[in-house]
């Protein structure tokens, strides 16, 4: 048990280091982070196309620490720590310590968790935490059933449903997979699922009602599934399926590479895996069932674009189970070597994250404060609202100018009645100014004047490269009435 606690403390220290590093290095916020400055300053039942759980947690962090970099970094790293800690504790109840450690550290070998989660993650991180909580309750039930497990499972399911919509693939595939593994099937809480369902429904009912009543906002991002296919020569269904396969293999590539090298180190015994432990078999089959259901959805709905983060409900159980199965017959020495590889990768991610934020001309080093100063110098006196094509500029401007209204790029998001000017940021916004203003409830007859401007933004660590950002100031006649 002492070694188990040490492992969890090491995980806690790792994510604390990320939070401190992100806070110390500062810089602009990536799109998903910037979204929080627009959508998480207050607590609401719903916010748009994303489920609200991450916004609620972020709003709590903003209330505690202020709307700053630390609050953003602390939120994501706390949820990532919860993910790793609960996954490890759940695995540890059925498999040996080293197997549980490796099964947990399989997440480090998924770039969409270990890298993208740190760089710009938000709602997917909340989903990971609720997935881990769901698995943790199930793992405890398998070890020793308790009366509180069904209610705890319902709480995890309810919160998962409020984290991200694709979360539901995770519990669904775990239960379907359990039907094929007798040792797991016999110990899960089948007879008390109705209790879990009631607990989940009580959590979900109000936010889900909001989503139904605001379906225009809930479905505002559905177009992302139908970007032009990369494989234009193929039929639509086959192009989507090909993209699905490519993204799945790309997401698993690092994990598979590490496991192949570890197995090859065994020489002639490289292909002698042995029978998988029930827990590993359960997780692997859940991941495969999930990938199968995902493929059917891609074909059935004509999806043409697939993002690896959408596949996390399948990739997480598959990677963890695959890691446990592939390493269960390795000797202690090879197991320790794999742990050392994971530790080295974690350190490399810390260094690479610092390097990314300390040089170059990326979106995280763009001087959006210069844009804020330029806009402020051109504004007439009075309340102002900012609109942009995505959350990057509007969120970063909200960070630098907390008194400005930041309007989300969603239907029916209107400025306050006393607003005297609206700022449109970006050439596309300006070119479609009339339509954009109409989407936000501003009629042409209320516009007094529209003036065009531009600001040249430098980068923090690039002396010669700059970027020109156009913006327009729309002055209103009698406020946004």
């Amino acid at each position: 048990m002492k070694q188990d606690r040490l492992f969890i403390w090491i995980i806690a220290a790792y994510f604390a280091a990320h939070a401190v590093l992100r806070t110390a290095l500062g810089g602009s916020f990536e799109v998903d982070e910037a979204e929080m400055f627009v959508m998480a300053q207050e607590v609401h039942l719903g916010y748009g196309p994303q489920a609200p759980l991450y916004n609620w947690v972020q709003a709590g962090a903003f209330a505690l620490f202020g709307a700053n970099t630390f609050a953003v970094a602390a939120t994501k790293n706390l949820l990532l720590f919860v993910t790793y800690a609960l996954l490890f504790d759940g695995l540890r109840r059925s498999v040996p310590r080293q197997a549980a450690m490796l099964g947990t550290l399989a997440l480090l070998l998924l770039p969409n968790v270990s890298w993208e989660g740190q760089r710009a993650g938000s709602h997917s991180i909340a989903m990971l935490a609720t997935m881990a909580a769901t698995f943790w309750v199930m793992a405890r039930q398998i070890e020793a059933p308790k009366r509180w497990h069904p209610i705890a499972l319902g709480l995890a399911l309810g919160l998962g449903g409020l984290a991200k919509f694709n979360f539901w693939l995770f519990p669904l595939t775990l239960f379907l997979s359990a039907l094929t593994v007798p040792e797991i099937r016999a110990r899960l809480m089948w007879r008390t699922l109705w209790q879990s369902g009631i607990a989940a429904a009580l959590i979900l009912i109000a936010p889900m009602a909001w989503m139904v009543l605001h379906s225009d906002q809930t479905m505002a991002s559905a177009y992302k599934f139908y970007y032009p296919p990369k494989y234009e020569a193929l039929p639509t269904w086959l192009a989507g399926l090909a993209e699905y396969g490519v993204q799945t293999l790309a997401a698993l590539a690092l994990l598979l590479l590490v496991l192949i090298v570890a197995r090859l180190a065994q020489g002639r015994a490289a292909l002698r895996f042995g029978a998988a432990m029930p827990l590993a078999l359960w997780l692997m089959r859940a991941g495969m069932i999930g990938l199968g259901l995902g493929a059917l959805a891609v074909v059935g709905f004509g999806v043409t674009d697939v993002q690896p983060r959408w596949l996390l409900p399948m990739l997480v159980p598959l990677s963890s189970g695959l890691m446990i199965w592939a390493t269960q017959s390795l000797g202690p020495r090879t197991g320790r070597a794999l742990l050392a590889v994971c530790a080295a990768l974690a350190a490399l991610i810390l260094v690479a994250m610092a390097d990314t934020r300390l040089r170059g001309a990326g979106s995280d080093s763009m001087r959006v404060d210069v844009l804020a100063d330029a806009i402020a110098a051109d504004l007439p006196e009075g309340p102002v609202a900012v609109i942009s094509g995505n959350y990057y500029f509007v969120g970063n401007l909200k960070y630098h100018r907390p008194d400005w209204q930041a309007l989300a790029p969603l239907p029916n998001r209107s400025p306050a009645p006393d607003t005297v000017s609206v700022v449109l940021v970006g050439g596309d916004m300006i070119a479609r100014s009339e339509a954009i203003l109409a989407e936000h409830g501003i009629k042409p007859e209320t516009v007094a004047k529209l003036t065009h401007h531009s600001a040249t933004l430098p980068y923090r660590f690039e002396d010669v490269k700059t970027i020109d950002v156009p913006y327009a100031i729309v002055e209103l006649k009698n406020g946004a009435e």
Side-chain angles (χ1 to χ4, degrees), residues 165-174 286 289-290 293-294 310 313-314:
F165 300 126
N166 55 331
F167 161 83
W168 293 109
L169 273 170
F170 182 73
L172 172 63
T173 56
L174 283 181
I289 291 171
L293 292 176
W310 301 344
M314 306 85 131

Side-chain angles (χ1 to χ4, degrees), residues 100-168:
M101 290 180 178
L102 289 171
T104 302
L105 294 176
L107 296 182
L108 276 176
L109 302 176
L110 296 177
N112 277 276
V113 177
S114 58
W115 180 260
E116 286 301 310
Q118 281 293 342
R119 189 189 69 83
S122 57
H123 300 282
S124 293
I125 298 174
M127 180 183 68
L128 288 172
T130 55
M131 285 166 52
T134 301
F135 169 73
W136 178 76
V137 177
M138 289 185 172
R140 291 185 67 101
Q141 172 76 9
I142 293 168
E143 180 194 35
K146 302 290 183 183
R147 290 184 178 180
W148 57 268
H149 287 167
I151 302 303
L153 178 63
L155 293 175
L157 293 174
L159 292 175
L162 297 181
K164 207 168 175 68
F165 300 126
N166 55 331
F167 161 83
W168 293 109

Side-chain angles (χ1 to χ4, degrees), residues 3 20 36 54 104 191 281 296-297 328 342 354 405 431 470 478:
Q3 288 180 309
V20 170
M36 294 301 107
Y54 193 90
T104 302
R191 295 181 180 179
L281 193 61
L296 290 176
Q328 66 183 16
C342 291
Q405 300 168 64
N478 298 307

Side-chain angles (χ1 to χ4, degrees), residues 35 48 64 102 136 205 214 234 250 254 256 265 354 403 411 415 423 441 461 474:
E35 178 187 341
L64 284 173
L102 289 171
W136 178 76
I205 187 168
H214 299 82
L234 298 176
L254 180 58
L256 295 175
D403 56 316
V423 180
F461 307 110
V474 182

Side-chain angles (χ1 to χ4, degrees), residues 83-99:
T83 300
Y84 279 67
L86 290 180
L87 178 59
F88 171 71
D89 190 69
L91 293 173
R92 185 69 181 92
R93 294 174 184 278
S94 297
V95 300
R97 177 179 296 110
Q98 182 172 279

Side-chain angles (χ1 to χ4, degrees), residues 11 14-16 18-23 28-37 54-55 57-59 61-62 65 68-84 112-129 353 357:
I11 294 172
Y14 172 69
F15 288 114
H18 269 293
V20 170
L21 183 71
R22 178 71 179 91
T23 303
S28 294
F29 300 96
E30 300 290 357
V31 173
D32 284 0
E33 296 175 329
E35 178 187 341
M36 294 301 107
F37 286 89
Y54 193 90
N55 300 66
V57 178
Q58 185 64 76
F62 282 160
F65 307 115
N68 52 45
T69 304
F70 176 74
V72 170
T75 298
K76 69 169 59 181
N77 282 285
L78 175 61
L79 290 173
L80 284 169
F81 165 70
V82 168
T83 300
Y84 279 67
N112 277 276
V113 177
S114 58
W115 180 260
E116 286 301 310
Q118 281 293 342
R119 189 189 69 83
S122 57
H123 300 282
S124 293
I125 298 174
M127 180 183 68
L128 288 172
M353 197 65 65
R357 297 193 182 280

